[in-house]
Each structure stands twice: as structure tokens, then as C-alpha cells.
Amino acid sequence: MRIATWNVNSVRQRLDHLLTWLRDTSPDIACLQEIKCVDEAFPREAIEALGYNVVTHGQKTFNGVALLSRLPLDEATPRLAGDPEDTHARFIEGVVSLKRGVLRVACLYLPNGNPPNTEKYPYKLNWMSRLFDYSKERLQAEEPLILAGDFNVIPAARDVHNPEAWVDDALFRAETRERFQALLDLGLTDALRATTDAPGQYTFWDYQAGAWQKNHGLRIDHLLLSPQASDRLRSVGIDKHVRAWEKPSDHVPIWVDLDLEAA
DNA sequence: ATGACTACTCCCAGTAGA
């Protein structure tokens, strides 16, 4: 079973790329971020025509997340608990049935947090604390669980071309990396890092300053697996080639193949 | 380099992204 995540940077701008990628790679579940549209404007029919069930938590102009699943979604719940005042559409959780038990997938778009001397950074840190609380609670179920999405976190120096230039950035600040590490300390596994120690495993290249051509990328899109999911991890891949398509998203998909059987 | 791109918005200069 393949579970993928991709920040598409506007689903309406990227619909042709999305459909091509879905046809090419056939993920069983795809988590999308930055759909940048309200639920009613999501291009649901074109995606359903490829055999996907679609749930969205959209928002006008910014943010917005969606779950696409070839398997029936038993449940789909928007919003991360812990702050009723938070109006950003950054989280949707889905549950699918397996032959044994269920698989729970949380699709998330973690706040960027820049510039860090504004209210945006504490919002990011608070959001990460809420994600920690959510994860801690969900891990108690001892089920296959995946946190998939754009975390806006560079976990380590090997995940950015020039780490010294990023030390004060909200994506790489010590407090940011500590909160990401706290998720791993709960027992979640960074899927990519379970398979390789190699540097340069990037998922994002800025549109500016020739970042793609110079391979000045970042690894900020992640799949974190509960023990019951990581035990079934077969392989991990980054679909880097889509960054070279015409008018691409600045992010590329990353996916895991797990030995789990659908009901 | 107060930059560079891209997308969005009560339509077009300002905001946001990372």
C-alpha cells in the first residue's frame, strides 16, 4: 500500500500535474497541502474519475488540505485539536479499514513561522505542541498511524544545502528542530531516515534564484510512522522528477510503501 | 540585496510562501 504526500501549491493551478502523477504512480492514499481553495472549488470530479474518494478542508486563498483515497474512508475529521481560535485549514485526518484493524492518516500543513520575530513563530511552535499532544494520544491506540505532510521543518543540517544560512530561520531554528525531535521521541519514525543517511534528500526547491538548477533544496515534507506502520515499511521514494515539469509546484511528492492489506 | 518567483485577490499592488 502506497501513501504519499504533496504540497501542490494551488490544486487548481496544478490539476494537470496532479492527474498525471496519480495516473503514473497510483498512490492508495494521497495527502495534499496548500490546495488554496474552498471545498466547493476543489476539482473533485476529475480526481474521483481516477477512482479516488475525496475529502477536503479548504480555505479561501491560503492553506487548505485534502485526502484522496482509493479505499473507502471510514472517518474524515478536519482540524487539529487544542486551539478553537485557530481558523487556518491545515489538518485533516482519515481512517481506512485493513484486513486487521485500521490505518489512520493525518494530512498536515504545519505553519511556516517566518519571520520568527513576529506572532507567526509562536503560532508555529504552539501548533507543533498541539501536534505532539495529538500524536501522544493517538499512539496509545497502538495502531498503524502516519503523519504525512509539509512540516516546514528541516530536521538536520544534512537536509539543507547551506545550513549555516538557516540557523535563524523558522524552519531550522533550534526550538523548531527540538519540537520535531520530540515527535520522534514519542516513537514516531521519520520514514526517509529509516532507509538512508544520505544528505540532499530534498522535497522542496525555491522558485527563486535558480534554486532547482543549483540543487539548493530543503527536506521539509515528511512521513512519520507509528511503530505498527514502520514495522511494515518496505520502501520510501521522492518523486523529484515532477519538479522539472512545466509550471511545477515548488514541492515534490514523497511516499512510503507499506506491507498493509486493505479490508 | 529592502532582491530573486509564483499564486492569490472584490482587478491589481499587496500579501504570503519558505
Side-chain angles (χ1 to χ4, degrees):
Chain A
M1 183 180 301
R2 178 167 296 189
I3 297 96
T5 179
W6 188 12
N7 179 325
V8 293
N9 186 17
S10 169
V11 70
R12 289 177 291 177
Q13 286 294 321
R14 223 65 60 201
L15 183 58
D16 288 348
H17 286 197
L18 176 60
L19 296 175
T20 299
W21 172 76
L22 288 171
R23 284 193 200 97
D24 286 351
T25 69
S26 295
D28 296 282
I29 298 174
C31 302
L32 307 181
Q33 301 87 37
E34 282 206 270
I35 63 172
K36 292 190 173 178
C37 65
V38 294
D39 295 335
E40 304 74 52
F42 190 87
R44 144 187 310 274
E45 290 79 10
I47 295 166
E48 287 173 342
L50 296 182
Y52 287 93
N53 300 290
V54 175
V55 292
T56 62
H57 184 207
Q59 180 176 352
K60 189 178 177 180
T61 312
F62 308 118
N63 309 319
V65 289
L67 267 173
L68 319 180
S69 176
R70 290 186 176 281
L71 315 173
L73 285 157
D74 301 340
E75 297 172 35
T77 312
R79 296 184 191 88
L80 181 61
D83 183 2
E85 312 276 290
D86 185 1
T87 56
H88 290 199
R90 295 182 175 274
F91 184 93
I92 189 166
E93 177 196 68
V95 178
V96 299
S97 292
L98 303 174
K99 282 221 166 92
R100 288 190 55 187
V102 298
L103 168 66
R104 193 177 296 270
V105 178
C107 168
L108 63 99
Y109 176 45
L110 209 149
N112 176 299
N114 280 310
N117 61 346
T118 66
E119 74 291 343
K120 293 185 177 192
Y121 193 57
Y123 172 64
K124 175 180 193 153
L125 294 180
N126 185 50
W127 210 95
M128 294 185 84
S129 295
R130 290 162 59 197
L131 186 62
F132 178 91
D133 292 342
Y134 164 85
S135 304
K136 189 173 183 180
E137 145 121 39
R138 284 290 186 252
L139 283 166
Q140 288 174 6
E142 302 189 346
E143 291 168 349
L145 166 72
I146 303 181
L147 307 189
D150 175 358
F151 281 68
N152 273 311
V153 174
I154 302 165
R158 62 188 169 179
D159 299 315
V160 53
H161 165 256
N162 52 341
E164 59 285 347
W166 288 80
V167 289
D168 292 325
D169 191 280
L171 279 64
F172 192 56
R173 275 192 155 204
E175 294 155 280
T176 303
R177 282 180 283 134
E178 283 162 12
R179 275 177 169 74
F180 185 79
Q181 182 60 45
L183 293 172
L184 305 184
D185 291 343
L186 282 174
L188 291 166
T189 296
D190 179 344
L192 191 282
R193 284 298 169 224
T195 61
T196 178
D197 292 326
Q201 303 296 301
Y202 303 139
T203 64
F204 166 91
W205 294 261
D206 200 292
Y207 289 124
Q208 302 183 64
W212 167 247
Q213 289 75 14
K214 297 174 189 168
N215 195 28
H216 291 179
L218 308 175
R219 188 172 78 91
I220 55 176
D221 300 271
H222 308 298
L223 293 139
L224 303 190
L225 312 180
S226 73
Q228 294 73 20
S230 67
D231 283 351
R232 304 292 181 145
L233 178 60
R234 181 182 290 188
S235 55
V236 182
I238 299 172
D239 290 333
K240 185 176 177 179
H241 63 283
V242 308
R243 186 63 177 78
W245 290 352
E246 191 178 345
K247 301 276 278 175
S249 170
D250 38 8
H251 297 250
V252 298
I254 174 171
W255 49 264
V256 289
D257 283 340
L258 303 177
D259 282 317
L260 293 174
E261 285 188 87

